[in-house]
C-alpha cells in the first residue's frame, strides 16, 4: 500500500513539474512575442504591445501559481531545499542587482546594465543553491 501511495505522490510531482514547465514555456514565448512582435509584427503599436504585455503578465501569474502548486506537493525536505535556494537567489538578486545598477548608473561599468543579466544571475544562483542543497541532504 505504501508503494502505491509513493508512486501516486511521485506521479503527482511529475505532473506538477510538467505543468510548471509548460507555463514557463508559455510565459517565455509570450515575452519573446512582446519584443519581436513590437518590432516586426505590429509595427510598434503601443496598444497592441500593452495588450501583449498584459497577456504576458497573466501567463507569468499562471506560472507562479503552478510553481506554488509544485512546492505544496513536495515533501518537507524537498521544500526545505527549495526554500533555502529561493532565499539565496532572492537575496543575491536584490543585493547583486542594486550593486550592479549602482555600478552602471555611476559609469563604473563600461556597458549598460540589463535586466536580462540580473535574471541570468538569479537563475544561476538558484541552480547552484539547488545542487548544493540536494547534495547537502543526500
Amino acid at each position: 500500500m505504501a508503494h502505491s501511495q509513493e508512486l501516486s505522490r511521485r506521479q503527482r510531482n511529475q505532473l506538477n513539474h510538467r505543468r510548471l514547465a509548460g507555463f514557463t514555456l508559455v510565459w517565455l514565448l509570450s515575452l519573446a512575442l512582446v519584443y519581436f512582435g513590437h518590432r516586426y509584427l505590429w509595427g510598434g503599436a503601443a496598444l497592441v504591445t500593452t495588450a501583449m504585455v498584459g497577456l504576458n503578465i497573466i501567463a507569468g501569474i499562471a506560472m507562479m501559481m503552478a510553481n506554488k502548486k509544485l512546492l505544496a506537493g513536495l515533501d518537507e525536505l524537498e521544500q526545505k531545499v527549495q526554500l533555502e535556494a529561493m532565499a539565496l537567489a532572492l537575496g543575491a538578486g536584490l543585493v547583486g542587482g542594486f550593486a550592479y545598477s549602482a555600478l552602471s548608473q555611476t559609469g563604473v561599468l563600461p556597458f549598460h546594465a540589463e535586466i536580462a543579466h540580473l535574471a541570468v544571475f538569479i537563475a544561476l544562483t538558484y541552480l547552484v543553491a539547488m545542487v548544493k542543497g540536494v547534495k547537502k541532504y543526500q
Side-chain angles (χ1 to χ4, degrees), residues 32-131:
L33 184 60
V34 168
Y35 284 105
F36 294 110
H38 177 81
R39 187 171 195 167
Y40 300 112
L41 298 178
W42 53 83
L47 183 61
V48 177
T49 300
T50 302
M52 293 308 296
V53 167
L55 290 175
N56 174 256
I57 290 169
I58 291 168
I61 291 169
M63 178 184 66
M64 289 185 287
M65 291 169 54
N67 193 40
K68 184 175 186 283
K69 184 170 185 152
L70 169 72
L71 293 173
L74 299 176
D75 66 30
E76 289 179 18
L77 183 57
E78 292 168 326
Q79 287 178 349
K80 180 177 176 57
V81 170
Q82 287 279 347
L83 179 65
E84 289 176 0
M86 288 178 180
L88 183 61
L90 174 63
L94 284 171
V95 173
F98 280 107
Y100 184 55
S101 177
L103 290 172
S104 178
Q105 293 296 318
T106 57
V108 173
L109 292 179
F111 54 87
H112 181 68
E114 295 288 337
I115 192 69
H117 302 157
L118 180 60
V120 169
F121 175 69
I122 292 170
L124 291 175
T125 302
Y126 172 75
L127 181 64
V128 168
M130 280 296 298
V131 169

Side-chain angles (χ1 to χ4, degrees), residues 24-36:
T24 301
L25 181 62
V26 168
W27 173 73
L28 284 171
L29 291 174
S30 70
L31 184 61
L33 184 60
V34 168
Y35 284 105
F36 294 110

